[in-house]
Amino acid sequence: MITSAQMRAARAMLGLDQKGLAELAGLSLPTIQRMEASGGQVRGIIDTLMKVVEALEEAGIELIGENAPSAGSGRGVRLREAASRSGERPGGRAGREGVVPKTASHAG
């Protein structure tokens, strides 16, 4: 349904802290803290999970499941498997080939 990492990323994209998400979803702060502290898939009462998902979606977040295409448009972030790609550094970041360093002539 939703992972703790997705919850944290969604909050960051919306500029919300945990208290803000709790208010948006109509839940308590300790509930949001507990959900985000869990590893992997968030476990809990289905009604509580749905409140969080619906609040995030109403705020403009599209939660994308594993191996699912994105149905929306706009900007976003998606986590990919770092270990499955060659030439990537730990954390899923590719090498810096093709990256132009910012210099005084490129400042803007």
Side-chain angles (χ1 to χ4, degrees):
M1 167 152 299
I2 186 172
T3 66
S4 56
Q6 282 178 305
M7 282 184 65
R8 291 188 301 273
R11 275 194 314 99
M13 292 183 81
L14 293 171
L16 292 173
D17 59 8
Q18 289 179 326
K19 183 179 179 185
L21 178 57
E23 291 171 0
L24 201 63
L27 299 169
S28 69
L29 176 58
T31 296
I32 297 298
Q33 291 171 332
R34 192 171 38 257
M35 292 172 87
E36 287 191 3
S38 66
Q41 290 280 63
V42 174
R43 294 183 190 91
I45 299 169
I46 297 295
D47 184 53
T48 303
L49 293 171
M50 290 307 300
K51 285 181 180 181
V52 171
V53 169
E54 288 170 3
L56 292 172
E57 288 177 347
E58 287 176 14
I61 295 295
E62 177 189 0
L63 296 169
I64 305 168
E66 187 74 25
N67 298 317
S70 173
S73 61
R75 296 179 183 178
V77 176
R78 181 176 199 140
L79 185 64
R80 64 177 181 208
E81 291 185 49
S84 67
R85 303 207 192 287
S86 62
E88 286 189 347
R89 294 183 288 192
R93 296 185 319 195
R96 296 186 51 92
E97 300 84 23
V99 175
V100 178
K102 190 171 184 176
T103 63
S105 63
H106 290 97

